[in-house]
Amino acid sequence: MTVIDLITRVDAICKKYEKYDIDKQKEANVAGGDDAFARLYSVFETQVDAIIQKSEAVATEKNRATAVAMNAEVRRTKARLLEEIPKLQRLTQKKVKGISKEELEARNDLVFALKDKIEAISDGSTAATKQSTGGWATSSSYTGIKIDSSSDGRFDSEYFQQTEESDRFRQEYEMRRMKQDQGLEVIAEGLDTLKNMAHDMNEELDRQVPLMDEIDDKVDRAASDLKSTNVRLKDTVHKLRSSRNFCIDIILLCIILGIAAFLYKQVF
Amino acid sequence: MSSSNPNKLISKADKLTKLSLTRWSADWKSATLLYEQAANGFRVSRDYEKAKLAFEKASKGQEMLSSPWDAAKHMESAAALAKELRNWTEVIDFYRRASEQYMQCDRPQPASDSLAKAARALEDALPDDAVQLYTDACVILEDDGKEQMAFDLYRAAASIYVKLEKYTDAATFLLRLGLAADKCDARNSQCKAYLSAIIVYLYAHDLQQAEKCYNDCSQIDAFLSSDQNRCASKLLSAYREGDVEEIKLVAQSSTISNLENVIIKLARKLPTGDVAKMQGDADKGGEEALDENDLT
């Protein structure tokens, strides 16, 4: 660990445990006793420092999930603070005992400076581009971190430090998006054609339904006609050449022949 | 019998049907049979003129035997042969008679079929008569309540009108097609018909008519919620702004490519004439309307 790291760490620790610094607290309390503005201002300052610390931690965070979570926190607190700024501004107008006029005006400036400071805190949208882009695996995961498209505008602002890697990366992203769009267009056209064909087929089938019904009726009628005709035919053939009648015919014929033979015998 | 000379058969049959001292009533049955055989023989030997005559006589024979179906069938064959001979008046005549005979049998569909065949044959030679025949065929089908079959006929009639460059008539036919489609709940055909009508009006350089047509069609729910509606509105707004590139872009879109071939050709040729001028006319028309309102 280098000396500079040590120093920054010590500073961070001191800041963190400032609330245990009794002397400083007394001072702040005494000052803030009658002055609502000063109290609120100090609260604001502590919160802003906390956020700055967090956002710096995000920059060094390797685990993407925790980075995203911390970014979200940072954004949330930023939004909350920005909401409270108007309250602070209203307090600057109040006159307080023991404070000179110049100080009052200075307070207004202080408020504005605080506002800028809050907005300057980097949250995930700009931090992602600042980070080293060499470590990302695919462009699709990169687009996964960009949560809203408004951050596109940020690219042109001064917060965006253009590194060569991010530039190349952005180009690749644009190329892939264009190719995707082209592919989607081809698919859309194909689907249009399919839809049209399906509709036409639907109408054609609708057209044929009544025809099929007619065919059905006619074939039914023809079938029943055939059936009745068959039955009648069978009856007729039965009557003409039934096997029983046939046997009876043969027997009667034999009897007649027998009688004829008998008579013949009788004569001769 | 069929192998013997068809001429001989015809003369024999004629003798059977001619009334004279020895013959008090014509023997149509055998005569018709002979006529049919003769006609087939002539057709095989490609003697179209005689074959046509034979079919005519056979048809008359069937009529006498009170079987209009067979009579109509023979008439159709005669008409087909007349088409080969390019005898257009006879074609129309024969097909109309066949259609009447089909109606006698209470079969409207073959009736309209025969009229449609006639119209198709006449498309190049006598387009006006062809359109008339198509209209009659559509009327027959609509009376029978079978509008679905009429779609193709309407489309063919509209394309003939477009060929004749009678664009208002073509658009009218397309709107009639839309009406028929509405009756049988064929939404896709209906919307396509309306879009085609709008394109025809635009091709005829008539923006007001096109807009009127669009407004009329927007009253219909089925059209309002369809792809074709969006395409039409895009086209009309491109026209109103006078944006030639936009018009060309819309004309290339897939919605228009799903319409009839004739209409696609028209759409690709859009915009005809000066779009800016049309825009000015449209605005002027609007202003005039305002003035009238002010006066009253």
Side-chain angles (χ1 to χ4, degrees), chain A residues 188-189 192-193 195-200 203-204 206-208 210-211 214 218, chain B residues 107 109 146 148-149 151-152 155 185-190 192 227 254-255 258:
Chain A
E189 258 189 59
D192 257 335
T193 319
K195 177 179 163 184
N196 183 50
M197 280 203 283
H199 270 299
D200 285 341
E203 284 180 6
E204 189 61 39
D206 281 340
R207 206 194 291 198
Q208 304 204 341
L211 296 178
E214 257 187 65
K218 286 192 186 163
Chain B
R107 305 280 293 275
Q109 212 160 323
K146 290 208 166 47
Q148 290 252 353
M149 313 289 168
F151 289 170
D152 292 323
R155 273 189 219 124
D185 215 12
R187 260 185 226 120
N188 201 24
S189 290
Q190 189 184 7
K192 287 206 278 200
D227 280 337
S254 59
T255 322
N258 288 336

Side-chain angles (χ1 to χ4, degrees), chain B residues 139-194:
Chain B
V139 163
I140 292 180
L141 283 173
E142 280 185 353
D143 286 336
D144 194 38
K146 290 208 166 47
E147 289 93 1
Q148 290 252 353
M149 313 289 168
F151 289 170
D152 292 323
L153 301 173
Y154 276 129
R155 273 189 219 124
S159 55
I160 296 184
Y161 269 132
V162 163
K163 250 197 287 182
L164 294 172
E165 304 206 353
K166 291 200 186 131
Y167 296 118
T168 25
D169 291 326
T172 322
F173 257 87
L174 287 165
L175 291 172
R176 269 173 75 173
L177 170 58
L179 178 64
D182 189 45
K183 260 192 256 164
C184 16
D185 215 12
R187 260 185 226 120
N188 201 24
S189 290
Q190 189 184 7
C191 301
K192 287 206 278 200
Y194 289 144

Side-chain angles (χ1 to χ4, degrees), chain A residues 82-109:
Chain A
L82 283 168
E83 272 175 22
E84 312 247 314
I85 287 269
K87 237 195 271 178
L88 197 60
Q89 279 182 328
R90 261 179 280 136
L91 281 176
T92 59
Q93 307 304 323
K94 280 209 190 141
K95 266 204 177 165
V96 188
K97 288 196 285 188
I99 309 284
S100 58
K101 239 187 226 167
E102 290 94 13
E103 266 215 51
L104 264 164
E105 281 165 34
R107 281 189 178 178
N108 235 334
D109 295 325

Side-chain angles (χ1 to χ4, degrees), chain A residues 81-224:
Chain A
L81 288 174
L82 283 168
E83 272 175 22
E84 312 247 314
I85 287 269
K87 237 195 271 178
L88 197 60
Q89 279 182 328
R90 261 179 280 136
L91 281 176
T92 59
Q93 307 304 323
K94 280 209 190 141
K95 266 204 177 165
V96 188
K97 288 196 285 188
I99 309 284
S100 58
K101 239 187 226 167
E102 290 94 13
E103 266 215 51
L104 264 164
E105 281 165 34
R107 281 189 178 178
N108 235 334
D109 295 325
L110 271 173
V111 171
F112 282 125
L114 189 63
K115 195 166 171 197
D116 288 329
K117 204 163 149 206
I118 294 178
E119 283 178 349
I121 298 177
S122 63
D123 53 33
S125 40
T126 50
T129 52
K130 272 208 214 164
Q131 280 178 1
S132 68
T133 52
W136 300 114
T138 57
S139 62
S140 55
S141 60
Y142 173 69
T143 53
I145 288 198
K146 268 213 304 187
I147 301 194
D148 55 303
S149 58
S150 62
S151 54
D152 268 351
R154 297 277 209 107
F155 287 152
D156 297 330
S157 66
E158 65 250 20
Y159 298 126
F160 180 47
Q161 288 171 0
Q162 232 161 355
T163 63
E164 199 187 289
E165 286 166 341
S166 70
D167 209 17
R168 215 185 334 130
F169 204 63
R170 222 186 127 213
Q171 269 178 17
E172 204 189 319
Y173 156 68
E174 293 285 335
M175 287 291 296
R176 290 196 195 201
R177 190 164 77 169
M178 252 167 49
K179 273 204 206 115
Q180 259 187 8
D181 282 343
Q182 276 171 6
L184 283 173
E185 259 184 51
V186 168
I187 293 178
E189 258 189 59
L191 281 176
D192 257 335
T193 319
L194 273 176
K195 177 179 163 184
N196 183 50
M197 280 203 283
H199 270 299
D200 285 341
M201 280 201 279
N202 189 27
E203 284 180 6
E204 189 61 39
L205 284 171
D206 281 340
R207 206 194 291 198
Q208 304 204 341
V209 162
L211 296 178
M212 294 296 285
D213 287 338
E214 257 187 65
I215 292 179
D216 202 22
D217 278 340
K218 286 192 186 163
V219 168
D220 280 341
R221 238 181 296 150
S224 65

Side-chain angles (χ1 to χ4, degrees), chain A residues 44-67:
Chain A
F44 257 91
E45 268 207 343
T46 36
Q47 284 184 331
V48 167
D49 287 332
I51 303 182
I52 292 178
Q53 267 184 345
K54 235 186 245 177
S55 65
E56 279 168 11
V58 167
T60 52
E61 184 63 55
K62 283 273 163 54
N63 187 351
R64 228 183 299 138
T66 41

